[in-house]
Amino acid sequence: MGKFFITTPVYYVNDVPHLGHAYTTIAADTLSRYRRLLGDEVFFLTGTDEHGSKILQAARQKNISPQKLADEMTARFKNLWEKLSISYSDFIRTTDQKHIKVVQNVFSRLHEKGDIYKGKYSGWYCVPCESFWLESQLKDKKFCPECKRETVKLEEDSYFFSLSKYQKPLLDYYNENPDFVLPSTRKNEVVEFVKRGLRDISVTRLNLEWGIPCPVDEQHSIYVWVDALINYISALGYSLEEERFFTFWPADVHLVGKDILKFHAIIWPALLMAIGIKLPGMVFAHGWWMIKGEKMSKSRKNVVEPEWIIDRFGSDYLRYFLLREVPFGEDGNFSPALFVKRVNSDLANDLGNLLNRTLTLVVKHFQAKVPRPGKINAQDDELKGKIDSLPDNLQNFMDRLSFSQAFDSIWEVVRGANLYLDRCAPWRLVKKGETERMGSVLYNVLEIIRILTVVLFPFIPRGAEKMWKQLGMEDILSEQKLKDAVKWGKLPFALEVKKPEPVFPRIKEEDFYEVERET
Ligand code: ME8
């Protein structure tokens, strides 16, 4: 049994969570659940990023303290994660005392080592991105090159981290570890950027009241990005609980959006090199969800509220759509039409019908008891063959975070089972009095459904639980391990199945617009 440590970014608490936040977290949850299915001990970390000017400004606008804003928003994030069945192991808040202590320890270590020195910062700052810019980098001399919003001029004493020193070690590391940054197109961008040369970065802000106090100079607080990145090690107790720390570190996967890749693929590994601990296995940058071609973001007021979708259509539809519709790593456009088409065709038609028509026949012709399988013929063998290759296919795609291809390999089995059912036509067998053959056919399909349910659990946990119950299975679904579950014949015959109830009902595009008008 291996260990698997996966993280999401810690999200800003200036506003409520949106679909983009849900996307990263659903992907991390699916990978965590998949790894548990393989038998790994998983540590899945998520949380909130609560310091800095951005949060302070948002709190002032609302006339509340930043701590109160952080408390309120953290509750919103936790509530959404519960609705989405997010199985995190720890939820870190950067205002946790333990985190604050670790950040100060790291800062002191870097300072003692000579990697942090005092200087003067003169440049521009983008509050929404919490990023420093040089005048030459600004758009039209004023605007942030990333988010295009107005920047503010900064001229202050500051402590600097000697990032430039790590240019060569970073380039060597990318070279020796080709899968450290994925997808590879993004990795190439990072490498090109680093090759152009790195400047030392400012790591403190002067007199910023909402930040972690700098341990070597009380007039300064620690730059929010340094504070935030350290969450990945503070949650494991770095510098406080070494044994726990080394059980899970290094992280296997840091999952981030492409907007924050440079922080994770350049600054973070350089900081880790500087304090002398191992680097994470992989930083994967996924794409953006857009609305009508624009990045979804609160300040653009074009966000789709994940809660809104979950309350109407359920969390599995959202999880499925986000991971299935767009190859992970690429940008995607969210539209009600695409959402409805995708879930209706795959979940309601393919998967839902397979379950429904099989159970209906078992209830009607076998007193709701799993029939005893008879002799196996070539058609049955072909169906079983589809299961044999499934674990390897899945592993191959999941190792590369290729969720949509993982779904393709699962749907090959779903479609194969529907086709098998059509070809064997058990409804005709009953008319011909071939009850034994009919029982075999239904057993085979039920067995495929059992295996599919186990395999689908990481992706659509609530629907999978319902399928499991309808099959009448008594074992605990979340405790199943893939290696055992795919063994053919584990479905006990004579097990009592339930009367089918639609697990994946069809939805209509009008449902979207009707509720949209109401809100
Ligand atoms: O950047 N499409 O927090 P944040 C896809 N606190 N994913 C999106 C998205 C979109 N339209 N919008 C946001 C921060 N995301 C820092 C992180 S980590 C040490 C500190 C997701 O609240 C995506 O994962 O702005 C992106 O990287 C993250 O939310 C940014 O969240």
Side-chain angles (χ1 to χ4, degrees), residues 10 12 18 20-21 24 49 225 232 257 259-260 286-289 296:
V10 278
Y12 287 129
H18 65 68
H21 300 128
T24 320
D49 188 357
W225 262 104
Y232 301 131
D259 46 337
I260 56 173
H286 64 67
W288 284 341
W289 278 98
M296 201 179 291

Side-chain angles (χ1 to χ4, degrees), residues 89-153:
S89 320
D90 193 6
F91 187 105
I92 188 166
R93 300 182 56 178
T94 57
T95 50
D96 291 343
Q97 282 312 310
K98 186 174 103 178
H99 171 75
I100 293 173
K101 185 82 204 109
V102 176
V103 172
Q104 291 179 325
N105 287 350
V106 170
F107 195 98
S108 300
R109 243 171 236 200
L110 293 169
H111 188 250
E112 278 157 28
K113 225 190 125 206
D115 267 337
I116 281 183
Y117 61 89
K118 196 168 180 184
K120 218 174 185 56
Y121 180 79
S122 170
W124 299 77
Y125 196 75
C126 172
V127 174
C129 294
E130 296 280 14
S131 297
F132 295 94
W133 300 106
L134 294 173
E135 187 155 323
S136 57
Q137 294 174 305
L138 297 181
K139 202 176 161 278
D140 300 331
K141 299 203 158 151
K142 210 157 81 190
F143 301 100
C144 169
E146 286 283 337
C147 74
K148 319 282 183 275
R149 283 169 283 196
E150 198 166 341
T151 56
V152 286
K153 175 101 181 132

Side-chain angles (χ1 to χ4, degrees), residues 8-14 18-24 49 54 77 128 225 228-232 255-260 264 286-290 295-297:
T8 71
V10 278
Y11 303 113
Y12 287 129
V13 289
N14 60 310
H18 65 68
L19 197 73
H21 300 128
Y23 185 44
T24 320
D49 188 357
K54 181 181 172 108
F77 275 95
W225 262 104
L229 286 165
I230 293 172
N231 92 85
Y232 301 131
L255 215 55
V256 298
K258 64 180 183 180
D259 46 337
I260 56 173
H264 286 81
H286 64 67
W288 284 341
W289 278 98
M290 328 260 266
K295 182 181 181 238
M296 201 179 291
S297 81

Side-chain angles (χ1 to χ4, degrees), residues 2-183:
K3 69 93 195 165
F4 187 71
F5 177 28
I6 181 163
T7 67
T8 71
V10 278
Y11 303 113
Y12 287 129
V13 289
N14 60 310
D15 214 332
V16 294
H18 65 68
L19 197 73
H21 300 128
Y23 185 44
T24 320
T25 313
I26 289 169
D29 182 65
T30 301
L31 267 179
S32 298
R33 288 173 181 270
Y34 171 71
R35 286 296 181 141
R36 287 189 203 109
L37 185 62
L38 294 185
D40 282 354
E41 191 185 347
V42 172
F43 192 85
F44 166 17
L45 177 66
T46 190
T48 40
D49 188 357
E50 307 189 357
H51 293 123
S53 322
K54 181 181 172 108
I55 311 302
L56 189 61
Q57 269 187 9
R60 283 193 178 138
Q61 270 165 18
K62 290 190 158 83
N63 239 337
I64 54 175
S65 70
Q67 187 64 60
K68 185 157 192 299
L69 176 67
D71 290 348
E72 282 175 16
M73 290 305 154
T74 299
R76 293 290 297 263
F77 275 95
K78 285 189 172 167
N79 185 43
L80 176 61
W81 299 157
E82 197 179 319
K83 282 187 165 192
L84 277 169
S85 308
I86 303 299
S87 60
Y88 58 80
S89 320
D90 193 6
F91 187 105
I92 188 166
R93 300 182 56 178
T94 57
T95 50
D96 291 343
Q97 282 312 310
K98 186 174 103 178
H99 171 75
I100 293 173
K101 185 82 204 109
V102 176
V103 172
Q104 291 179 325
N105 287 350
V106 170
F107 195 98
S108 300
R109 243 171 236 200
L110 293 169
H111 188 250
E112 278 157 28
K113 225 190 125 206
D115 267 337
I116 281 183
Y117 61 89
K118 196 168 180 184
K120 218 174 185 56
Y121 180 79
S122 170
W124 299 77
Y125 196 75
C126 172
V127 174
C129 294
E130 296 280 14
S131 297
F132 295 94
W133 300 106
L134 294 173
E135 187 155 323
S136 57
Q137 294 174 305
L138 297 181
K139 202 176 161 278
D140 300 331
K141 299 203 158 151
K142 210 157 81 190
F143 301 100
C144 169
E146 286 283 337
C147 74
K148 319 282 183 275
R149 283 169 283 196
E150 198 166 341
T151 56
V152 286
K153 175 101 181 132
L154 279 190
E155 195 106 54
E156 58 187 33
D157 283 350
S158 182
Y159 286 82
F160 287 83
F161 168 60
S162 40
L163 183 64
S164 56
K165 210 169 110 180
Y166 292 93
Q167 181 189 15
K168 168 111 183 26
L170 282 170
L171 288 171
D172 290 345
Y173 193 81
Y174 303 140
N175 200 22
E176 285 152 21
N177 299 276
D179 288 342
F180 174 56
V181 181
L182 287 175

Side-chain angles (χ1 to χ4, degrees), residues 404-415:
S404 53
Q405 283 178 296
F407 276 128
D408 280 341
S409 61
I410 300 172
W411 251 254
E412 220 180 284
V413 181
V414 175
R415 298 206 173 100

